[in-house]
């Protein structure tokens, strides 16, 4: 069984381009605002969406996403709101949930996967779940035909890249640098060498995230990766806009600009 | 079978412990686990650490019987293991010197640390000064105010103190910031975590560096009384001083082990830091253990008069010892702790850390439950110099 996300990567491969993946935390800037911004993103050219499950202790995230998660939590975002956002967006684009592990554990692994599937989700990105702690997760996600997306880093050893990618489906999330989320002035050169190393151990699509925010950066990454992940840049636009409508339009424009540089021709 | 079994190779204590961290940290955690394992078996490392403890920490720490205090503990015999007399004023130095030596062995030049009460930060700054390492300490902004004296101490010792303004502005958020720094600078930097929480190998390694407390105390009690105590009591924040004194007694089935958690305004009020008594199993800061969390798995902010116990998590080995019934965990309220604090000051001339006063309050309860035949050993984890301002405010003493 393949998910809408799997199908997307087959399609973009045949189009000889990279997929553009956009991230926003559910409930940010508001529940409806998030759905509006994600919808605009997709209309602007984003191919797949990552919906963040805001968490109280986001140790992988820099100040931009921390602040957005904070706003969202103060709006009362919980599992229900994440699932509702997923239900709305999975109708227009392949969608995954990105979450720290504890909210899943608290919800119950089986229940989480069941509800994810029921709301059209393709998979889950788990940045702090190690493969050593994944026994139940692997068994359950297999039985629910859900993509299991792990994040690897420039410091990950070759041996471990092999083990992690063996447990992965959908795509491999390659963190471009050693650090937390946030916009950067340039894409670290470690991203390309990580992708090259990954190519020797897996045939899975590889998407690069962390610090990709401008059309130039997206164009650069699209030359060697199968997916380009942009998060903080979208969030910043929403944070800096005085009205939601203005923010949503800027998000749409950025998605349009980013999507122009994805072709490898 | 011995209860003092080691965690498995990736750090599990029953269903608890393990590693829940970004891949970026796995290499550093593996390197650290290996360095620790090698050092544990290396006589030259052990000798170097023992010499530091003898000539710098001031070990072995003494045992003091507190007869006047014991009158308020059902007349039981009460003995204090005086970790408060260590250099820098608490047990924290045991772990810090061990990890600082490992840092040098791994060829790293920079340490980062989180701190709540400031004791671990001060100990880390001290070790960094001693060993010529760069030191950055993350401290919740709230705690920098509660423990301003310790902030000044860290600065005098040459450390940089970074106030953390995110979240609850306390220990949990200081750990978040330290982890973010570590993910970014892991090649040059060692994260000198201050308690038995966090991803493997921290719970095992930090415990191993604190076992000296229990090893000494066991020998001292045997020499003093020719027998082991009936009960050992210690306060539990993350749980390092408690596991340090408990662990060498795990196989002594006749010795009860009681951890005292920070009950704040009372567990029933929700304003507390009693993670085992009032929390549920979950994942926080890289390990599975008990956590204070809501129905969505979001961490709930903890509350305690004691900055060093004000943490919504607890070490995974304590979670395991609780579940198998080998150790008991009880909450002690702010008011009970402060009563015990005042009592030890006035009956014995010893000003305890407010953290340690939680163990003293537990001692008063347990002594009354068991009566005059009982022998109680209490880990006095730290001294109260840092708490004078908090205590003065609490008791209405003008400053
Ligand atoms: C004197 C003292 N005791 C106890 C603690 C709590 O830590 P743990 O539970 O790891 O011993 C602290 C922490 O700052 C402390 O300073």
């Amino acid at each position: 069984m393949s998910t809408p996300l799997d199908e997307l990567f087959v399609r973009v491969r045949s189009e000889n381009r990279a997929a553009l993946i956009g991230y926003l935390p559910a409930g940010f800037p508001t529940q409806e605002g998030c759905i509006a911004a994600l919808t605009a993103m997709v209309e602007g050219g984003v191919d797949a969406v990552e919906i963040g499950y805001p968490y109280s202790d986001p140790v992988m995230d820099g100040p931009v996403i921390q602040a957005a998660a904070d706003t969202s939590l103060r709006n009362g975002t919980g599992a229900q709101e994440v699932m509702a956002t997923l239900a709305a967006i999975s109708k227009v684009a392949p969608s995954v949930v990105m979450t720290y592990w504890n909210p899943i554990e608290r919800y119950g692994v089986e229940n989480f996967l069941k509800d994810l599937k029921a709301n059209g989700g393709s998979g889950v990105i788990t940045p702090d779940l190690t493969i050593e702690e994944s026994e139940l997760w692997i068994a359950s996600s297999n039985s629910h035909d859900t993509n299991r997306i792990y994040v690897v880093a420039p410091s990950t050893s070759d041996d471990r890249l092999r083990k992690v990618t063996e447990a992965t489906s959908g795509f491999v999330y390659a963190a471009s640098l050693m650090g937390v989320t946030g916009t950067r002035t340039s894409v670290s050169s470690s991203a390309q060498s990580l992708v090259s190393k990954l190519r020797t151990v897996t045939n899975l699509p590889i998407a690069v995230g962390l610090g990709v925010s401008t059309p130039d950066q997206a164009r650069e990454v699209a030359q060697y990766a199968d997916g380009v992940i942009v998060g903080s840049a979208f969030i910043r636009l929403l944070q800096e806009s005085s009205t939601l409508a203005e923010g949503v339009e800027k998000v749409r424009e950025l998605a349009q600009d980013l999507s122009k540089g994805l072709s490898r021709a | 079978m011995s209860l003092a079994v080691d965690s498995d190779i990736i750090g599990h204590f029953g269903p608890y412990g393990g590693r829940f961290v970004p891949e970026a940290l796995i290499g550093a955690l593996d390197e650290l686990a290996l360095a620790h394992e090698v050092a544990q078996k290396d006589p030259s490392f052990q000798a170097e650490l023992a010499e530091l403890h003898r000539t710098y920490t001031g070990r072995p720490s003494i045992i003091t019987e507190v007869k006047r205090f014991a009158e308020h503990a059902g007349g039981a015999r009460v003995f204090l293991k005086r970790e408060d007399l260590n250099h820098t004023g608490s047990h924290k130095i045991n772990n810090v010197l061990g990890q600082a030596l490992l840092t040098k062995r791994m060829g790293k030049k920079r340490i980062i640390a989180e701190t709540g009460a400031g004791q671990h930060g001060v100990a880390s700054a001290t070790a960094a000064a001693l060993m010529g390492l760069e030191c950055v300490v993350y401290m919740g902004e709230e705690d920098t105010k509660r423990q301003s004296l310790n902030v000044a101490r860290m600065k005098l010792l040459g450390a940089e103190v970074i106030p953390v303004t995110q979240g609850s502005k306390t220990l949990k958020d200081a750990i978040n910031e330290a982890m973010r720094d570590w993910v970014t600078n892991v090649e040059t930097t060692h994260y000198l975590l201050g308690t038995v929480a966090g991803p493997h190998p921290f719970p095992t390694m930090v415990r191993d560096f604190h076992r000296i407390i229990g090893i000494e105390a066991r020998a001292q009690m045997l020499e003093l009384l020719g027998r082991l105590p009936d009960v050992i009591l210690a306060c539990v924040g993350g749980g390092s001083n408690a596991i340090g004194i408990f662990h060498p007694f795990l196989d002594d089935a006749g010795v009860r082990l009681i951890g005292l958690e920070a009950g704040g305004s009372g567990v029933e009020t929700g304003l507390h830091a009693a993670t085992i008594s009032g929390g549920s199993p979950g994942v926080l800061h890289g390990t599975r253990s008990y956590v204070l969390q809501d129905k969505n798995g979001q961490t709930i902010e903890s509350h305690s008069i004691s900055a060093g116990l004000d943490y919504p998590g607890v070490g995974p080995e304590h979670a395991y010892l609780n579940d198998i019934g080998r150790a008991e965990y009880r909450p002690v309220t702010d008011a009970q702790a402060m009563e015990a604090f005042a009592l030890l000051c006035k009956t014995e001339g010893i000003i305890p850390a407010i953290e340690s006063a939680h163990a003293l309050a537990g001692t008063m309860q347990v002594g009354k439950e068991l009566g005059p035949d009982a022998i109680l050993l209490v880990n006095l984890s730290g001294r109260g110099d840092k708490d004078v301002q908090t205590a003065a405010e609490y008791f209405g003493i003008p400053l």
Side-chain angles (χ1 to χ4, degrees):
Chain A
M1 262 279 297
S2 60
T3 65
L5 183 68
D6 293 322
E7 286 157 19
L8 168 69
F9 277 107
V10 171
R11 198 182 82 225
V12 297
R13 227 170 232 195
S14 74
E15 293 168 5
N16 199 25
R17 68 174 179 97
L20 179 61
I21 303 170
Y23 167 92
L24 277 186
F28 169 82
T30 60
Q31 175 72 2
E32 283 71 40
C34 177
I35 293 171
L38 286 171
T39 305
M41 235 186 241
V42 173
E43 288 164 1
V46 159
D47 296 295
V49 166
E50 280 177 24
I51 298 163
Y53 190 137
Y55 177 55
S56 52
D57 295 276
V59 298
M60 284 268 294
D61 288 305
V64 173
I65 294 183
Q66 282 175 47
D70 230 45
T71 303
S72 171
L73 287 174
R74 269 188 275 108
N75 292 341
T77 306
Q80 276 192 330
E81 289 71 23
V82 172
M83 292 298 173
T85 308
L86 182 63
I89 297 304
S90 63
K91 292 195 180 78
V92 295
S95 304
V96 299
V97 171
M98 178 153 185
T99 177
Y100 291 87
W101 182 247
N102 198 47
I104 294 185
E105 184 146 317
R106 188 70 177 160
Y107 200 82
V109 165
E110 269 298 314
N111 283 342
F112 191 87
L113 287 165
K114 211 170 74 214
D115 290 353
L116 182 95
K117 210 69 195 171
N119 290 293
S122 288
V124 188
I125 305 174
T126 50
D128 65 345
L129 180 68
T130 54
I131 48 173
E132 288 80 4
E133 303 294 343
S134 294
E135 201 178 321
L136 174 65
W137 181 240
I138 289 175
S140 300
S141 49
N142 280 344
S143 70
H144 288 276
D145 290 317
T146 300
N147 290 140
R148 210 166 35 236
I149 300 149
Y150 289 93
V151 182
V152 295
S155 66
T156 309
S157 70
D158 292 357
D159 178 48
R160 211 172 154 83
L161 286 179
R162 188 169 297 115
K163 287 184 190 147
V164 175
T165 53
E166 271 168 17
T168 302
S169 65
F171 68 88
V172 184
Y173 191 128
S176 71
L177 46 76
M178 299 296 288
V180 294
T181 58
T183 57
R184 305 287 199 285
T185 49
S186 65
V187 178
S188 157
S189 62
S190 55
Q192 187 164 6
S193 59
L194 174 58
V195 171
S196 307
K197 279 198 288 179
L198 279 164
R199 296 284 186 213
T200 67
V201 299
T202 183
N203 291 321
L204 283 167
I206 300 163
V208 170
L210 258 61
V212 187
S213 58
T214 68
D216 281 347
Q217 291 169 341
R219 185 172 299 114
E220 183 191 332
V221 171
Q223 295 313 305
Y224 57 84
D226 307 298
V228 180
I229 303 170
V230 178
S232 296
F234 287 121
I235 293 173
R236 273 231 306 238
L237 293 175
L238 291 163
Q239 285 167 338
E240 287 164 3
S241 298
S242 44
T243 66
L244 176 64
E246 179 195 330
V248 168
E249 274 327 292
K250 285 188 174 159
V251 163
R252 183 194 313 275
E253 284 161 23
L254 178 61
Q256 282 165 349
D257 291 346
L258 290 166
S259 66
K260 281 176 194 147
L262 301 172
S263 163
R264 266 189 297 268
Chain B
M1 195 191 84
S2 171
L3 287 173
V5 286
D6 233 331
S7 56
D8 68 14
I9 187 144
I10 41 173
H12 291 107
F13 304 90
Y16 301 111
R19 279 182 184 168
F20 296 82
V21 293
E23 277 300 315
L25 293 180
I26 295 290
L29 291 169
D30 282 345
E31 179 191 20
L32 183 61
L34 183 65
H36 172 58
E37 210 182 295
V38 169
Q40 285 293 101
K41 293 181 197 133
D42 177 355
S44 75
F45 181 90
Q46 296 304 326
E48 193 178 356
L49 184 55
E51 182 62 9
L52 270 177
H53 279 330
R54 197 177 64 79
T55 61
Y56 192 73
T57 311
R59 302 208 74 91
S61 64
I62 60 172
I63 297 263
T64 302
E65 181 166 10
V66 284
K67 292 190 174 148
R68 277 167 43 76
F69 177 80
E71 289 169 18
H72 304 269
R77 291 188 74 179
V78 177
F79 297 84
L80 305 183
K81 177 65 172 162
R82 300 291 305 278
E83 292 298 299
D84 62 316
L85 296 180
N86 293 340
H87 180 42
T88 72
S90 80
H91 69 291
K92 297 282 180 190
I93 191 84
N94 302 327
N95 165 47
V96 163
L97 289 177
Q99 285 198 50
L101 285 181
L102 285 181
T103 305
K104 288 213 309 190
R105 284 200 158 197
M106 293 186 294
K108 293 184 172 178
K109 303 252 178 322
R110 176 175 181 264
I111 58 171
I112 55 174
E114 82 295 341
T115 198
Q119 289 305 98
H120 176 60
V122 167
S124 298
T126 299
L130 177 67
M131 300 190 195
L133 302 166
E134 183 189 343
C135 178
V136 173
V137 179
Y138 291 94
M139 188 170 189
E141 193 181 44
E142 197 64 37
D143 292 335
T144 61
K145 290 179 196 146
R146 287 199 272 194
Q147 307 282 341
S148 55
L149 202 60
N150 270 343
V151 175
R153 287 169 83 195
M154 289 182 264
K155 288 182 178 168
L156 288 171
L157 291 161
E160 183 187 352
V161 180
I162 302 184
V164 175
T165 54
Q166 285 93 339
S168 58
K169 305 180 176 57
T170 61
L171 183 54
K172 134 182 131 62
D173 307 283
I175 294 177
N176 291 343
E177 270 309 282
M179 302 235 322
R180 291 181 189 118
D181 180 320
W182 204 31
V183 170
T184 310
N185 301 302
V186 66
E187 267 190 37
T188 59
T189 298
H190 173 60
Y191 180 15
L192 211 162
L193 186 69
T195 191
V196 286
H200 177 67
F202 286 107
T204 305
M205 176 182 68
V206 175
R207 177 201 70 199
D208 289 345
F209 288 134
H210 281 302
R211 287 184 80 247
I212 192 166
I213 306 170
I215 291 170
E216 284 177 8
R218 200 169 185 286
Q220 286 165 321
M221 292 306 282
L222 285 174
E223 190 185 303
L224 210 62
L225 302 176
R227 55 162 290 190
L228 298 177
D230 298 304
V231 186
I232 299 177
L233 303 103
C235 66
V236 177
S240 67
N241 87 89
I243 206 75
I245 197 164
F246 287 176
H247 198 265
F249 292 89
L250 284 182
D251 288 333
D252 298 308
V255 180
R256 267 175 80 186
L257 306 172
I258 304 181
L260 288 312
E261 300 192 297
S265 307
V267 173
E268 68 289 350
T269 66
L271 300 175
H272 64 89
T275 312
I276 295 179
S277 312
S280 54
V283 169
L284 176 64
H285 291 146
T287 191
R288 181 184 284 122
S289 185
Y290 281 76
V291 180
L292 299 182
Q293 57 181 330
D294 70 12
K295 66 176 189 343
N296 286 312
Q298 309 291 351
T299 312
I300 295 174
E301 286 177 20
S302 56
H303 294 267
S304 171
I305 191 167
S306 148
L309 303 182
D310 202 350
Y311 180 57
V314 66
E317 193 166 7
H318 286 292
Y320 178 63
L321 293 176
N322 174 73
D323 286 11
I324 64 170
R326 179 61 190 95
E328 308 156 46
Y329 298 84
R330 299 183 180 187
V332 162
T333 64
D334 288 350
Q336 290 167 330
M338 293 313 286
E339 183 196 346
F341 174 95
L343 201 60
L344 193 76
C345 292
K346 291 198 172 127
T347 57
E348 300 290 345
I350 298 171
I351 302 179
I354 296 177
E355 290 79 15
S356 320
H358 287 70
L360 295 166
T363 304
M364 291 165 67
Q365 290 172 11
V366 172
K368 284 172 195 150
E369 288 163 22
L370 299 183
D373 291 337
I375 294 175
L376 310 183
L377 172 64
V378 188
N379 198 12
L380 198 74
S381 56
R383 59 179 177 246
D385 305 35
K386 68 182 175 62
D387 294 317
V388 168
Q389 190 170 340
T390 306
E393 277 167 24
Y394 186 87
F395 294 114
I397 300 167
L399 281 171

